[in-house]
Amino acid sequence: MTKTSMPQPAESDRPAPLPAWARSRRIFGQFVFAVLLLLAAGSGVLAGLLFVYSTNLPKVAELENYRPDVMTQLYADDGTPIASFALEHRVIVSYDQIPQVMRDAVLSIEDRHFESHVGVDVIRIVRAAVTDLLEWREAQGASTLTQQLSRRLFLSPEKNWRRKVEEALLAIQIERHFTKPQIFTMYANQMELGYGNFGFEAASEFFYGKHLTELTLPEAAMLAGLPQNPNIYSPIRHPERCIERRNRVLDAMLDNGKITRAQYRAARAAPLGLNIQHWNNNVAPYFVEDVREFLEKKYGEEAVEQKGLRVYTTVDLKMQREAEEALRQGLRNDDKTRGWRGPEKNILKTPIAGADGQPVTLESYVDDDWHGAPDPDTMEHGLVMSVTSEGATVRFGDYSAHLTPADFAWTHNPDAHDIFLPGDLDTFLIKSVKGRAVQAKLDQIPDVQGAMLVLDNQTGAIRAMVGGYDFNTSKFNRAVQAERQVGSSFKVYVYAQAFLDGLKPFDTVVDSPISYPSAAGIWAPHNYDNKYEGSINLIRALAESRNVPAVRLLAHVGIDQVIKLCRRFGLTSRLVPNLPLALGASDLTLLEHTSAFTTFPDDGLHIAPRSIDRVTDYDGRVIDEFRPEVTDVLPAPIARLMVSMLREPIEYPTGTAVRARTLAAKYDIAGKTGTTNDFTDAWFLGFSPSITCGVWVGFDDHRTLGDKEEGSHVALPIWMQFMSQALAEQPPAKFTDSPVLTSPQVVDQILASTATESVLAERRGTANPVTASAASTAKTTLPAVPATADTTKAVRAPDTSTPQP
């Protein structure tokens, strides 16, 4: 085949080439189109990302009603703060309560453009982004104060691009909804500053013991440096790092023109000057813990730890301190009667490794108790350095004492070599400090325990509560949690029922041997001294706390009647329905027993004990008011007669509490001892017209206190020490309607006093009058009571105390 050639265009038909400027214009247009296309695509992607990220963001508008977790604060009866409960210790302040120096310090180090940006600082973001790209990491901080707040309130602390975008979006929203002062105030109240403190006011009170408004420049700078990392810059754990961070804040304040060069130099030279104030201090710890448990049961744990309740309690701080001092001193005194137990340890016999891993020496040993000069009237550990025939030299850090035999005379061993060895770590009572010389006496931490409770008679308010020797070593509250046999102190309820049934103090009862059949055999109560006095009146029977008359009396009035009366007295513990009940064979708590005793000075009314007056929310709105709960237990004349009867253990020449007569010479007081079988529990419960105080002493494991360790020897001295201090600070008060029982005519006068002018009697309403037969002066001798098996069980009766020579 023949190939056909296509015709070729003539040279003149070809288009002319474009000029250079036209070609450049086309290329530029294509470039612009590509850029616009990329920008459009990027904008779409960015919009999509922002939509995705923003859809799950919290609603910033909810911050208008946001209230951060705040501390629940407890106050004493005079308004003094005594304790706080919280997961986050926070004290809310307003913008006006934040001093200018604090604002300047925070903004200079955290966000100097705070007043001008819209939530994000573009310049800082660009600078941080460049650093992140160059170093290929996501760690460069560029967050504004508002971004930090958004992260703290809504986001996790992890560092990644998604969180940064969300943080920026939230910050912009926060800036749209709130003013700068509002944002700064939220930041100042929200940020974590270490040791459970949140917000600058809480941190100021914790680290410096003062309010924000009282801070100096270096103190404000220190606090302003903590938000970046409160652990790394902790002024307690890392003071050097903390000072470096504080000085960096001062540098920023100087660069920002907020302080002068002179202020800068003075502040940099200042020490940290900490004055740590722990939130949970040692004021009334057993009482505080009891209140906390009550609040959590009533309002829930979340409300107590996060909602900032304001709890106004009934505790009297002066009485509380006096009660703690009296109990601790009494327990130490009683503990010494059982002898010296020896040193706590010997650092030479049992070597202790020091910081370098080597055993410490006598010269290098440091004890946790040693913080500066020892405080007089406190217990501190001392290290025995040397021993001679004349005594021992003891070191207390940089201080020392020389003990003579008089300083450890209570051990009944005058030879120091039998008591001390070099390296012994013992406990000493510091008497005085002069220069580096200490005067001290050997002591020891008691292993015996005790409890004390003080109630206001007319209101039932708990004025003092001590649940043990040391809350730090044992948080078990023996004032409210321990149920112990009460011994002869239970007899008051038996006598009260007897008087309700018409018996009178000068009626007689036979104190002679008697026995009762029981399921375990014959049970025969006996008196503490194993003696019997024959026919005696009820005054002497109670004053001397004789057992057999009490058992006969219970059999006469009826066990069930006494138990029913006890319930009206407020006793809720189980009461075993048998004759040993008269001798305190059932267990009670100190709280219920002491509260029941208030019925006598309260003209027969029982007012339930309470530890709280009122509870409000953080803003002061009252949530609950706890008013006295009153129960009519005894007619007023019977209650007054019981007060007179309970004066007899003190006033009667052979009364079990006769050692308190010196106190009774100054004040009207009454009370009853109690000692249980084998001397495992010692009690004294007594009252004045205004307050009732109960004391218990014993071992937690129920072992014996020792022979003759009775309520009159162990518990009564503690009660006397406290009451002598407490009553000296109160207006004089008398048992005007309860005189000492000198004759049957005095009894008649008491039983005839049906009218009363007391406020309590006005609340009483109608009371059962005393019958004519009860007011009669005729004497009665209790009839013989047949013993029946169904009135007893196989329970051994506790012994009671009797007066000592």
Side-chain angles (χ1 to χ4, degrees), residues 490 493-494 496-498 500-501 551-569 571 573-582 586 788 790-793:
F490 189 88
Y493 310 118
V494 178
Q497 182 62 52
L500 282 172
D501 288 354
V551 175
R552 288 180 180 270
L553 203 58
L554 177 60
H556 177 72
V557 300
I559 297 171
D560 290 342
Q561 288 298 104
V562 171
I563 291 178
K564 289 178 182 178
L565 178 63
C566 288
R567 298 308 181 205
R568 297 207 301 274
F569 269 99
L571 303 184
S573 295
R574 180 174 179 266
L575 300 176
V576 181
N578 56 24
L579 289 177
L581 180 67
S586 292
T788 57
D790 60 352
T791 62
T792 62
K793 288 186 180 180

Coordinates of all heavy atoms in Angstrom, one line a residue, residues 490 493-494 496-498 500-501 551-569 571 573-582 586 788 790-793:
F490 N -22.7 1.5 139.5 CA -24.0 1.1 139.0 C -25.1 1.2 140.2 O -26.3 1.3 139.9 CB -24.1 -0.3 138.4 CG -25.3 -0.6 137.7 CD1 -25.5 -0.3 136.4 CD2 -26.4 -1.3 138.4 CE1 -26.7 -0.6 135.7 CE2 -27.6 -1.6 137.7 CZ -27.7 -1.2 136.4
Y493 N -28.4 3.5 140.4 CA -29.7 3.3 139.8 C -30.6 2.4 140.7 O -31.8 2.5 140.7 CB -29.5 2.6 138.4 CG -28.5 3.4 137.5 CD1 -27.3 2.8 137.2 CD2 -28.7 4.7 137.2 CE1 -26.3 3.4 136.4 CE2 -27.8 5.4 136.4 CZ -26.6 4.7 136.0 OH -25.7 5.4 135.3
V494 N -29.9 1.5 141.4 CA -30.7 0.6 142.3 C -31.3 1.5 143.5 O -32.4 1.4 143.8 CB -29.8 -0.5 142.9 CG1 -30.5 -1.3 143.9 CG2 -29.2 -1.3 141.8
A496 N -31.9 4.7 143.4 CA -32.9 5.6 142.8 C -34.2 4.9 142.7 O -35.3 5.5 143.1 CB -32.5 6.1 141.5
Q497 N -34.2 3.6 142.3 CA -35.5 2.9 142.2 C -36.0 2.6 143.6 O -37.3 2.7 143.8 CB -35.3 1.6 141.5 CG -36.5 0.7 141.3 CD -37.5 1.4 140.4 OE1 -37.2 1.9 139.3 NE2 -38.8 1.5 140.9
A498 N -35.2 2.4 144.5 CA -35.6 2.1 145.9 C -36.4 3.4 146.5 O -37.4 3.3 147.1 CB -34.5 1.8 146.8
L500 N -37.8 5.7 144.6 CA -39.1 5.8 143.9 C -40.1 4.9 144.5 O -41.3 5.2 144.5 CB -38.9 5.4 142.4 CG -38.2 6.4 141.5 CD1 -37.9 5.8 140.2 CD2 -39.1 7.7 141.4
D501 N -39.7 3.8 145.1 CA -40.6 2.8 145.7 C -41.0 3.2 147.1 O -41.7 2.4 147.8 CB -40.0 1.4 145.6 CG -40.0 0.8 144.2 OD1 -40.6 1.5 143.3 OD2 -39.4 -0.3 144.0
V551 N -27.2 -5.8 146.8 CA -27.9 -6.9 146.2 C -29.2 -7.2 146.9 O -30.2 -7.4 146.2 CB -27.0 -8.2 146.4 CG1 -27.7 -9.4 145.9 CG2 -25.7 -8.0 145.6
R552 N -29.3 -7.0 148.2 CA -30.6 -7.2 148.8 C -31.6 -6.1 148.3 O -32.8 -6.4 148.1 CB -30.4 -7.0 150.4 CG -29.7 -8.2 151.0 CD -29.6 -8.0 152.5 NE -28.9 -9.0 153.3 CZ -29.6 -10.1 153.8 NH1 -30.9 -10.2 153.7 NH2 -28.9 -11.0 154.5
L553 N -31.1 -4.9 148.1 CA -31.9 -3.8 147.7 C -32.5 -4.1 146.3 O -33.7 -3.9 146.0 CB -31.2 -2.5 147.7 CG -31.9 -1.2 147.8 CD1 -32.8 -1.2 149.0 CD2 -31.0 0.0 147.8
L554 N -31.6 -4.6 145.4 CA -32.1 -4.9 144.0 C -33.1 -6.1 144.1 O -34.1 -6.0 143.3 CB -30.9 -5.4 143.2 CG -31.2 -5.8 141.7 CD1 -31.9 -4.7 141.0 CD2 -30.0 -6.2 141.0
A555 N -32.9 -7.1 144.9 CA -33.8 -8.1 145.0 C -35.2 -7.6 145.5 O -36.2 -8.1 145.1 CB -33.3 -9.2 145.9
H556 N -35.1 -6.6 146.4 CA -36.4 -6.1 147.0 C -37.2 -5.2 145.9 O -38.4 -5.4 145.8 CB -36.0 -5.2 148.2 CG -37.2 -4.5 148.8 ND1 -38.1 -5.2 149.5 CD2 -37.6 -3.2 148.8 CE1 -39.1 -4.3 149.9 NE2 -38.7 -3.1 149.5
V557 N -36.5 -4.4 145.2 CA -37.2 -3.5 144.3 C -37.5 -4.2 142.9 O -38.4 -3.7 142.2 CB -36.4 -2.2 144.0 CG1 -36.2 -1.4 145.3 CG2 -35.1 -2.5 143.3
G558 N -36.8 -5.2 142.6 CA -37.0 -5.9 141.3 C -36.0 -5.6 140.2 O -35.8 -4.4 139.9
I559 N -35.5 -6.6 139.6 CA -34.5 -6.4 138.6 C -35.1 -5.7 137.4 O -34.5 -4.8 136.8 CB -33.9 -7.7 138.2 CG1 -33.1 -8.4 139.3 CG2 -32.9 -7.6 137.0 CD1 -32.6 -9.8 139.1
D560 N -36.3 -6.1 137.0 CA -36.9 -5.6 135.8 C -37.2 -4.1 136.0 O -37.0 -3.3 135.0 CB -38.2 -6.3 135.4 CG -37.9 -7.7 134.9 OD1 -36.8 -8.0 134.5 OD2 -38.9 -8.5 134.9
Q561 N -37.6 -3.7 137.2 CA -37.9 -2.3 137.4 C -36.6 -1.4 137.3 O -36.7 -0.3 136.7 CB -38.5 -2.1 138.8 CG -39.9 -2.7 139.0 CD -40.9 -1.9 138.1 OE1 -41.3 -2.4 137.0 NE2 -41.2 -0.7 138.5
V562 N -35.5 -1.9 137.8 CA -34.3 -1.2 137.7 C -33.8 -1.1 136.3 O -33.4 0.0 135.8 CB -33.2 -1.9 138.6 CG1 -31.8 -1.2 138.3 CG2 -33.5 -1.7 140.1
I563 N -34.0 -2.1 135.5 CA -33.6 -2.1 134.1 C -34.4 -1.1 133.3 O -33.9 -0.3 132.5 CB -33.6 -3.5 133.5 CG1 -32.5 -4.4 134.0 CG2 -33.5 -3.4 131.9 CD1 -32.5 -5.8 133.5
K564 N -35.7 -1.1 133.6 CA -36.6 -0.1 132.9 C -36.2 1.3 133.3 O -36.2 2.2 132.5 CB -38.1 -0.3 133.3 CG -38.7 -1.6 132.7 CD -40.1 -1.8 133.2 CE -40.7 -3.1 132.7 NZ -42.0 -3.4 133.2
L565 N -35.9 1.5 134.6 CA -35.4 2.9 135.0 C -34.1 3.3 134.3 O -34.0 4.4 133.9 CB -35.2 2.9 136.5 CG -34.7 4.2 137.1 CD1 -35.7 5.3 136.9 CD2 -34.4 4.1 138.6
C566 N -33.2 2.3 134.1 CA -31.9 2.6 133.5 C -32.2 3.0 132.0 O -31.4 3.9 131.5 CB -31.0 1.4 133.5 SG -30.3 1.0 135.1
R567 N -33.2 2.5 131.4 CA -33.4 2.9 130.0 C -33.9 4.3 130.0 O -33.5 5.1 129.1 CB -34.5 2.0 129.4 CG -34.1 0.5 129.3 CD -32.8 0.3 128.6 NE -32.4 -1.1 128.5 CZ -31.1 -1.5 128.4 NH1 -30.2 -0.6 128.4 NH2 -30.9 -2.8 128.3
R568 N -34.6 4.8 131.0 CA -35.0 6.2 131.0 C -33.8 7.1 131.3 O -33.8 8.2 130.9 CB -36.1 6.4 132.1 CG -37.4 5.7 131.8 CD -38.6 6.4 132.4 NE -38.5 6.5 133.9 CZ -38.9 5.6 134.7 NH1 -39.4 4.4 134.3 NH2 -38.8 5.8 136.0
F569 N -32.9 6.5 132.0 CA -31.6 7.3 132.3 C -30.8 7.4 131.0 O -29.8 8.1 131.0 CB -30.8 6.6 133.4 CG -31.1 7.0 134.8 CD1 -31.9 6.3 135.6 CD2 -30.5 8.2 135.3 CE1 -32.2 6.7 136.9 CE2 -30.7 8.6 136.6 CZ -31.6 7.8 137.4
L571 N -29.4 4.7 129.4 CA -28.5 3.5 129.2 C -29.0 2.6 128.1 O -30.1 2.1 128.2 CB -28.3 2.7 130.5 CG -27.8 3.5 131.7 CD1 -27.6 2.6 132.9 CD2 -26.5 4.3 131.4
S573 N -26.8 0.1 126.5 CA -26.1 -1.1 126.5 C -26.9 -2.3 127.1 O -27.8 -2.0 127.9 CB -24.7 -1.0 127.2 OG -23.9 -0.1 126.6
R574 N -26.5 -3.5 126.8 CA -27.2 -4.7 127.3 C -27.0 -4.8 128.8 O -25.9 -4.7 129.3 CB -26.7 -5.9 126.6 CG -27.4 -7.2 127.1 CD -27.0 -8.4 126.2 NE -27.7 -9.6 126.7 CZ -27.1 -10.5 127.6 NH1 -25.9 -10.2 128.1 NH2 -27.8 -11.6 128.0
L575 N -28.1 -5.0 129.5 CA -28.0 -5.1 131.0 C -28.5 -6.6 131.3 O -29.7 -6.9 131.0 CB -28.9 -4.1 131.7 CG -28.6 -2.6 131.4 CD1 -29.6 -1.7 132.1 CD2 -27.2 -2.3 131.9
V576 N -27.6 -7.3 131.9 CA -27.9 -8.7 132.2 C -28.9 -8.8 133.3 O -28.6 -8.2 134.4 CB -26.7 -9.5 132.5 CG1 -27.0 -11.0 132.8 CG2 -25.7 -9.5 131.4
P577 N -30.1 -9.4 133.2 CA -31.1 -9.3 134.2 C -30.9 -10.4 135.3 O -31.5 -11.4 135.4 CB -32.4 -9.7 133.5 CG -32.0 -10.5 132.3 CD -30.6 -10.0 131.9
N578 N -29.9 -10.1 136.2 CA -29.6 -10.9 137.3 C -29.2 -10.1 138.5 O -28.9 -8.9 138.3 CB -28.6 -12.0 137.0 CG -27.3 -11.5 136.4 OD1 -27.0 -10.4 136.7 ND2 -26.6 -12.3 135.7
L579 N -29.0 -10.7 139.6 CA -28.7 -9.9 140.8 C -27.3 -9.3 140.8 O -27.1 -8.2 141.4 CB -28.9 -10.8 142.1 CG -30.3 -11.1 142.5 CD1 -30.4 -12.1 143.7 CD2 -31.1 -9.8 142.8
P580 N -26.3 -9.9 140.2 CA -25.0 -9.3 140.1 C -25.0 -7.9 139.4 O -24.1 -7.1 139.4 CB -24.1 -10.3 139.3 CG -24.7 -11.6 139.7 CD -26.2 -11.3 139.7
L581 N -26.2 -7.6 138.7 CA -26.3 -6.3 138.1 C -26.2 -5.2 139.1 O -25.6 -4.1 138.8 CB -27.7 -6.2 137.4 CG -28.1 -4.9 136.7 CD1 -27.2 -4.7 135.5 CD2 -29.5 -4.9 136.3
A582 N -26.6 -5.4 140.4 CA -26.4 -4.4 141.4 C -25.0 -4.0 141.6 O -24.7 -2.9 142.1 CB -27.0 -4.9 142.7
S586 N -22.7 -5.7 134.4 CA -22.9 -5.4 133.0 C -22.0 -4.3 132.5 O -21.5 -3.5 133.2 CB -24.4 -5.0 132.7 OG -25.2 -6.1 132.9
T788 N -34.3 -17.0 144.6 CA -34.9 -17.9 143.6 C -33.9 -18.0 142.4 O -33.2 -17.1 142.1 CB -36.2 -17.3 143.0 OG1 -36.0 -16.0 142.5 CG2 -37.3 -17.2 144.1
D790 N -34.4 -18.2 139.3 CA -34.6 -17.4 138.1 C -34.2 -16.0 138.2 O -34.3 -15.2 137.3 CB -36.1 -17.5 137.7 CG -37.0 -16.9 138.8 OD1 -36.5 -16.6 139.9 OD2 -38.2 -16.7 138.5
T791 N -33.7 -15.6 139.4 CA -33.2 -14.2 139.5 C -31.7 -14.1 139.3 O -31.2 -13.0 139.3 CB -33.6 -13.6 140.9 OG1 -32.9 -14.4 141.9 CG2 -35.1 -13.6 141.1
T792 N -31.0 -15.1 139.1 CA -29.6 -15.1 139.0 C -29.1 -15.9 137.9 O -29.7 -16.8 137.4 CB -28.9 -15.6 140.3 OG1 -29.2 -16.9 140.5 CG2 -29.3 -14.7 141.5
K793 N -27.8 -15.6 137.5 CA -27.1 -16.4 136.5 C -25.7 -16.7 137.0 O -25.3 -16.1 138.0 CB -27.1 -15.7 135.1 CG -28.4 -15.6 134.4 CD -28.3 -15.1 133.0 CE -29.6 -15.0 132.3 NZ -29.5 -14.4 130.9

